[in-house]
Amino acid sequence: MSSLYHHLAPGFVERLGAGFAFLPRFAEHVAPELVEAVGAIAACAPFRRMETPGGRRMSVAMTNCGACGWVSGRSGYRYATADPHTGAPWPAMPELFSRLAAGAAERAGFSCFDPDVCLINRYEVGSRLTLHRDSDELDFSAPIVSISLGLPALFQWGGHSRSDGTLQLELRHGDALVWGGVDRLRYHGVLPLRDGDHPLLGRCRVNLTFRKAG
Ligand code: MD6
Ligand code: FE
């Protein structure tokens, strides 16, 4: 496994693949507003650890905002317009979120990104996301934009087959990743969260992924 180092200059774009760009600290300046908005969303659509189709409980807790949200259960993965927990529509996507996601996509060369989902992942110490592909969306021509908040995480970036080797990238508070084009269906994952204490989020990491699902 090889490592990629973290560049600190905000405004810098590191192209790690034809369709994969790393934007260090891209969202740092609005991070407190993002954290506050996540709190308001979670007050309506609480974080929950979803069940996998295999009947296991995920270690990452999730919620969503936007016109639809990603859900997992015994019957599989899907996008749903209502929160299965409350039966209510997911909270609306804040204007700040969609503007930020479109701005990151633009910087990476994807214009007019108009996400309809923001999946919000909350990692406690030890939580992880095993290698997976994001393949439940209808339109793979749109990229995915990811924003990291709180404790740093080790992100694994793999190939088109689960057994391909992975690169490791440390994602820190405010960092963005943009992921599309020929790299849209690559395997990726997050290693178990290491303990720490973040000034805004304490002992956790929150990740926002913006998608165009439908
Ligand atoms: C995370 N992110 O960083 C999980 N997927 O917590 C993802 O699974 C992800 O960051 C697709 C594109 C970018 C991502
Ligand atoms: Fe993913």
Side-chain angles (χ1 to χ4, degrees), residues 96-177:
L96 168 66
F97 282 29
S98 39
R99 208 172 347 111
L100 192 69
E106 182 82 49
R107 289 292 304 278
F110 297 96
S111 53
C112 306
F113 179 48
D114 183 22
D116 55 5
V117 181
C118 174
L119 169 63
I120 307 173
N121 291 164
R122 190 187 67 202
Y123 296 72
E124 308 293 343
V125 173
S127 298
R128 68 192 187 125
L129 206 54
T130 54
L131 283 181
H132 66 280
R133 295 196 296 173
D134 291 9
S135 58
D136 303 316
E137 300 74 26
L138 289 177
D139 180 3
F140 296 141
S141 69
I144 293 181
V145 171
S146 137
I147 308 278
S148 293
L149 298 167
L151 289 180
L154 292 174
F155 187 81
Q156 299 175 288
W157 193 56
H160 284 94
S161 153
R162 190 186 292 278
S163 58
D164 288 346
T166 56
L167 286 175
Q168 195 170 298
L169 177 62
E170 183 167 61
L171 297 180
R172 300 186 192 176
H173 183 67
D175 288 349
L177 285 181

